[in-house]
Amino acid sequence: MTPLVTQISWTNHLLIMSGCKTNEEREFYIRLCIKENYSKRQLERQLDSGYYERYMLSKENLLPESVKKLGENPFLDSYVMEFLNLPNEFHENDLRKALIKNMKDFILELGKDFTFIDEEYKVQVGGDDFRIDLLFYHRGLQCLVAIELKIGKFKPEYISKLDFYLEALDRQVKKENENPSVGLLLCAAKNDEVVEYAMSRTMSPMLVSQYQLQLPDKAVLEKKLQQLVNIPRIAE
């Protein structure tokens, strides 16, 4: 049977994961979304009104059988694995690639000004090839946006490497009429998600302020990373 999670949108998936307290409540809203074909706004309205609690009080006998039988199963872990389309046993590189793909979709849903350019975008410096996880163009800021996703805790050298990529983009890819490139570093580690921006030190304070107003909020990205990395232990 096709996993339930593939039948709802990425945005609704995130709303359910962040807005529900129990495993049963999560599956309830997943099935409700599939049955009623909810939009983001419709789902938010049901979550905010506590529809699950009201339904439980008045129509508990009509709950889907799978919700009643869920019991003590680790629903969250299996749910995320199904959503990322990962095998039962997977390695860190599989996880990273799955996270990159889903973060790409989330960024595109998060802001309409983002245009996707490429995944593992290649830049060449000194005869060596380097690949940027995700490259976007932001129409509002008129600049390239490079995104790097790391599995594990933040390390200062990650920012230095992202700065290196931005310098390469500005020299080789950026057009004369465009603003300096900006980078987003996403570090996904359980209970320690970090999001950092990388910007050129030569940028004016006014331009930096403009970037910060239009780029995705750090807190939003950190919350989504935390939801995504709550998965079973990675196979060695």
Side-chain angles (χ1 to χ4, degrees):
M1 184 181 73
T2 302
L4 291 176
V5 291
T6 64
Q7 300 179 51
I8 64 174
S9 71
W10 172 239
T11 300
N12 283 355
H13 160 76
L14 293 174
L15 284 173
I16 290 170
M17 294 302 292
S18 61
C20 298
K21 297 177 182 178
T22 67
N23 298 332
E24 292 83 356
E25 185 179 4
R26 292 184 186 100
E27 185 168 344
F28 174 88
Y29 281 112
I30 293 169
R31 293 186 178 278
L32 191 63
C33 280
I34 294 171
K35 180 181 177 182
E36 304 296 337
N37 194 28
Y38 277 161
S39 66
K40 174 178 179 289
R41 182 171 297 179
Q42 289 171 322
L43 176 59
E44 283 180 328
R45 184 161 54 246
Q46 297 290 28
L47 287 166
D48 291 341
S49 68
Y51 181 70
Y52 171 73
E53 288 82 359
R54 292 185 287 111
Y55 188 93
M56 287 290 287
L57 289 173
S58 61
K59 299 181 179 181
E60 185 173 1
N61 61 317
L62 298 180
L63 278 174
E65 284 300 314
S66 59
V67 174
K68 294 179 181 178
K69 295 178 180 178
L70 192 59
E72 300 299 324
N73 292 334
F75 178 77
L76 178 61
D77 285 353
S78 60
Y79 179 89
V80 175
M81 286 182 67
E82 286 182 351
F83 189 83
L84 295 178
N85 196 28
L86 291 170
N88 290 333
E89 291 187 4
F90 56 93
H91 296 274
E92 182 172 309
N93 194 47
D94 299 321
L95 169 62
R96 184 173 169 277
K97 287 181 178 179
L99 289 177
I100 287 173
K101 178 185 181 302
N102 284 280
M103 284 305 300
K104 178 193 78 173
D105 295 341
F106 175 65
I107 292 293
L108 290 174
E109 289 187 6
L110 192 63
K112 295 181 179 179
D113 278 341
F114 281 99
T115 299
F116 178 64
I117 295 178
D118 203 2
E119 184 175 325
E120 295 190 347
Y121 185 87
K122 185 174 74 174
V123 292
Q124 192 173 72
V125 179
D128 293 326
D129 291 338
F130 301 89
R131 296 189 180 275
I132 300 169
D133 287 340
L134 294 170
L135 185 63
F136 293 86
Y137 184 79
H138 194 285
R139 291 176 295 174
L141 295 174
Q142 294 188 333
C143 74
L144 296 165
V145 179
I147 296 181
E148 281 287 292
L149 194 150
K150 303 294 184 182
I151 303 298
K153 292 185 177 181
F154 169 79
K155 296 180 181 179
E157 53 262 37
Y158 292 159
I159 285 289
S160 299
K161 189 171 184 179
L162 187 52
D163 284 335
F164 172 79
Y165 290 157
L166 297 182
E167 184 67 23
L169 288 172
D170 284 347
R171 293 188 183 189
Q172 302 173 16
V173 185
K174 182 181 81 69
K175 297 180 179 179
E176 290 186 4
N177 63 310
E178 294 175 347
N179 288 317
S181 304
V182 63
L184 268 173
L185 174 66
L186 312 176
C187 292
K190 277 193 177 182
N191 304 317
D192 188 32
E193 290 66 48
V194 175
V195 176
E196 291 291 344
Y197 298 126
M199 300 183 189
S200 171
R201 294 182 180 180
T202 62
M203 288 170 57
S204 67
M206 183 177 296
L207 192 56
V208 171
S209 176
Q210 183 182 355
Y211 274 44
Q212 291 175 339
L213 286 174
Q214 297 193 52
L215 289 172
D217 184 80
K218 284 186 180 182
V220 172
L221 293 173
E222 287 172 357
K223 186 175 182 180
K224 304 317 172 188
L225 280 173
Q226 197 280 329
Q227 292 165 353
L228 282 175
V229 298
N230 191 1
I231 59 173
R233 182 178 300 174
I234 300 170
E236 297 295 337

